[in-house]
Amino acid sequence: MPVSDYIVTIGLEVHCQIKTNTKMFCGCETSFADEPNTHTCPTCLGLPGALPVLNEFAIERTILSGMLLGCSTPPTVVWDRKNYFYPDMPKDYQITQMDLPLCLGGGVPLYDHNYPKDAQKKIKKPGKVVELNRIHLEEDVAKSTHLAKTTLIDFNRAGTPLMEIVTEPDIESAEETFAYLKSLQQILIAGGISDADMDKGQMRCDVNISVRKNESDPLGTKIELKNMNSTSAVRRAIHYEVARQCEALDNGESLVQATWRWDEDLGETQEMRTKEDAHDYRYFPDPDLLPVKTAAYIEKVRPLVPELPHEKSARFQKELGLTPYDASVITSDIQLVSYFETTIALAKTPGKKVANWIINNFLGLLNEKSVEIQASPVTPAKLSDILNLIEAGNVSNSQAKELFAALWDTPEKDPAALAKEMGFEPADTGAIDALIDEVIGSNPDKVAEIQGGNEKLLNFLTGQVMKASKGKANPKIVTEGLRSKLL
């Protein structure tokens, strides 16, 4: 059977580090890329007799994450020990949550623009919300670096507050998985929960995949792909693994529940070990940590729930006239949203025009110069000055683009003064009026069509006037002048 004849079912366990100053159960500083093993203490090293102390900020941020994703929080939660033996957890157990986690239920909306580019025109279920099972809070493990004959352990990461966001088996393809990870990342960043940078290991996931032939069949044997830290790699790994499982079933082979890994260099999955079940970890309540009442935390973080990306997108479309595409681009990055909203507040230009300028000019130059939004030399105030010059008729749109590029290299200059330096003086009104009369006289056939109802040809005549003025005329004023003379 071809792969398309099989039903693919995917569940994700996303591990996301919470943005905190200290670790989950001790006062050690959280860090990235610092000298190995410099942020440790007896607690995060698992030394005998060291006792954990809860990081309340991490608890609050996990509950806030649940609110962002529509989860409920039980009135009481407990902490458990997950027992396993591996060098990255020296006390031989991980403090986590099993039966009573901080968040239950909820879902992650899949934003259309977060699907892979080549899949955005064939989204199977637009507007889908992937159901969540739970979000629980635990401590991260140390970082292991495997060399040819040795393994290096860095305990700086050990004990960092880590949320595990677990879906139901509700994802149907590699493309949905890709969109899920991007959308979840966007929501967590918008909520200030985490930077969710997969390159820095702040967000990574385990992917559970099974296939079956018929909808009525029970879920197939689950294969887990462990510790994936790239959305593109996750997509490739799922495509490979689905094809592998389908081929195995076609050949009459039995699949065994196991943990596999993705080898990026070889472009294939490889078996690591037979998969353990929950009972293999011998979970039991942590005797050093009391149950936590959540009511006070819930009330504290409820006012912190921000406007989410899809809510901003809907508001921008309704209030500012942005297209769905424009709104999705603007809301795809929290820094871009801030830049856009600040510019809107300062500019006298309609929101749609501001969005067009940011998408078509600002983002293009950022990409060309390889500059982050927050490092842009052209601030929202400077961009709003340029847009206001256009609205006032002091520069044309094409001149404004040149002015914007020049301001990028000399951001200390005033846009209006720089426009004068560049010779972008407003064209003489009388001279422009004469050019309008000249163009009208030279195009009697177009004039007749316009007066007959074809107003679209006003754009043609506007172009002729702009050409005659060598770009100095304001096209908006020219069009209004033509309209007043012809209609």
Side-chain angles (χ1 to χ4, degrees), residues 95-109:
I95 302 177
T96 182
Q97 295 183 295
M98 179 62 175
D99 294 323
L100 283 173
L102 281 162
C103 304
L104 295 169
V108 176

Side-chain angles (χ1 to χ4, degrees), residues 162-226:
L162 191 71
M163 292 189 303
E164 183 166 341
I165 304 166
V166 183
T167 75
E168 296 289 358
D170 191 35
I171 301 173
E172 301 175 15
S173 68
E175 287 63 44
E176 281 191 0
T177 305
F178 188 99
Y180 173 90
L181 292 172
K182 289 286 189 182
S183 299
L184 176 61
Q185 185 179 48
Q186 197 173 327
I187 291 170
L188 294 175
I189 291 173
I193 308 298
S194 172
D195 291 332
D197 190 329
M198 298 188 82
D199 290 336
K200 294 180 179 179
Q202 295 167 345
M203 182 169 142
R204 48 197 191 274
C205 70
D206 301 335
V207 185
N208 298 294
I209 307 169
S210 66
V211 299
R212 52 187 163 146
K213 294 183 178 180
N214 303 298
E215 193 73 45
S216 58
D217 294 341
L219 291 176
T221 301
K222 180 176 65 176
I223 303 295
E224 180 182 41
L225 303 182
K226 198 74 173 172

Side-chain angles (χ1 to χ4, degrees), residues 303-321:
L304 303 180
V305 176
E307 187 179 35
L308 294 178
H310 59 279
E311 295 168 337
K312 279 189 181 291
S313 177
R315 177 168 63 84
F316 288 163
Q317 292 176 58
K318 181 180 179 181
E319 297 180 3
L320 303 178

Side-chain angles (χ1 to χ4, degrees), residues 139-159:
E139 58 182 331
D140 207 347
V141 298
K143 181 181 179 181
S144 302
T145 303
H146 301 290
L147 305 179
K149 296 183 179 180
T150 59
T151 294
L152 305 178
I153 308 291
D154 179 7
F155 285 97
N156 282 349
R157 191 176 75 180

Side-chain angles (χ1 to χ4, degrees), residues 326-387:
D326 290 345
S328 70
V329 172
I330 294 294
T331 58
S332 65
D333 187 292
I334 191 170
Q335 297 293 340
L336 188 58
V337 168
S338 176
Y339 192 99
F340 172 71
E341 290 186 316
T342 305
T343 305
I344 282 286
L346 297 172
K348 301 172 184 177
T349 307
K352 169 63 176 165
K353 287 187 177 180
V354 175
N356 285 346
W357 249 86
I358 287 178
I359 292 170
N360 297 324
N361 300 298
F362 177 67
L363 290 182
L365 204 50
L366 282 179
N367 185 58
E368 179 185 327
K369 303 288 187 180
S370 298
V371 173
E372 297 293 327
I373 294 168
Q374 57 269 33
S376 166
V378 179
T379 64
K382 296 284 188 181
L383 177 57
S384 66
D385 286 343
I386 294 175
L387 296 174

Side-chain angles (χ1 to χ4, degrees), residues 28-41:
C28 289
E29 179 185 345
T30 54
S31 67
F32 174 75
D34 284 355
E35 190 70 21
N37 298 308
T38 54
H39 301 293
T40 62
C41 73

